[in-house]
Amino acid sequence: MGETTRLTFRKLTIADADAAALHDLLCFGEHDAWSREAFFYAAKSSRSEFFVAELDGRIIACAGAAIHSDTAELQTLSVDPNFRGRDIGRIMLTKLIEAVIKRGATFVILEVRPSNTTAIKLYKDFGFQIVDRIENFYGDEDALVMAREF
């Protein structure tokens, strides 16, 4: 009999810091990837909500937000390029929004590259609207600021 692949969703732990950083590097490249230390801090912070999707023990997606009072800042949403187009990002964003609302957030804000049209479409599908643009936010590109009130 063949092995069964199993996709699971769970909270990020400090033990995931190395794997999450490698995943982020795969998804975003050296310029935009989070470091191991950033994931370690996010996993242990009481002001964060971070989730991963694992396939047979390997992280293939990550989503996280920092919560400041009633506002959540979506800090990352990534899906391994080999698994895009399978609604994993949509599931991750749903789980993240549910978690921050449960923690008292009534407003979610994020920055996204204008060239990341797939992410922009996903955020718009979730009711986010473009509210601002920050010049040279990424050094090589502006950022669109998107927000949604709940």
Side-chain angles (χ1 to χ4, degrees):
M1 287 192 189
E3 286 187 36
T4 303
T5 57
R6 181 171 163 91
L7 182 63
T8 58
F9 300 90
R10 63 172 176 79
K11 288 208 175 202
L12 176 78
T13 69
I14 57 174
D16 294 322
D18 288 327
L22 286 173
H23 162 77
D24 224 46
L25 184 62
L26 172 69
C27 293
F28 295 121
E30 288 182 26
H31 189 265
D32 292 336
W34 276 38
S35 67
R36 175 205 181 280
E37 292 77 16
F39 279 108
F40 182 86
Y41 176 77
K44 71 178 194 168
S45 173
S46 63
R47 295 184 351 166
S48 294
E49 286 288 343
F50 272 73
F51 295 91
V52 295
E54 274 186 334
L55 183 65
D56 296 330
R58 183 171 72 91
I59 292 175
I60 63 162
C62 183
I67 302 164
H68 312 281
S69 187
D70 66 344
T71 300
E73 178 189 357
L74 194 149
Q75 296 181 309
T76 190
L77 175 59
S78 58
V79 177
D80 182 312
N82 296 313
F83 295 94
R84 291 181 183 158
R86 300 181 191 185
D87 286 335
I88 296 169
R90 187 172 298 279
I91 294 167
M92 296 295 287
L93 186 55
T94 298
K95 288 185 175 298
L96 185 60
I97 289 172
E98 288 171 352
V100 300
I101 289 173
K102 188 175 180 179
R103 296 268 306 267
T106 59
F107 189 76
V108 179
I109 192 164
L110 62 91
E111 296 91 19
V112 62
R113 288 177 176 269
S115 61
N116 193 345
T117 56
T118 302
I120 293 167
K121 181 185 179 322
L122 174 66
Y123 298 139
K124 284 183 174 181
D125 287 350
F126 274 75
F128 285 83
Q129 296 180 2
I130 297 169
V131 296
D132 201 0
R133 185 180 195 107
I134 304 171
E135 288 187 33
N136 291 323
F137 182 83
Y138 294 101
D140 61 345
E141 189 174 1
D142 293 352
L144 298 177
V145 178
M146 299 184 75
R148 177 168 176 205
E149 193 169 355
F150 293 92

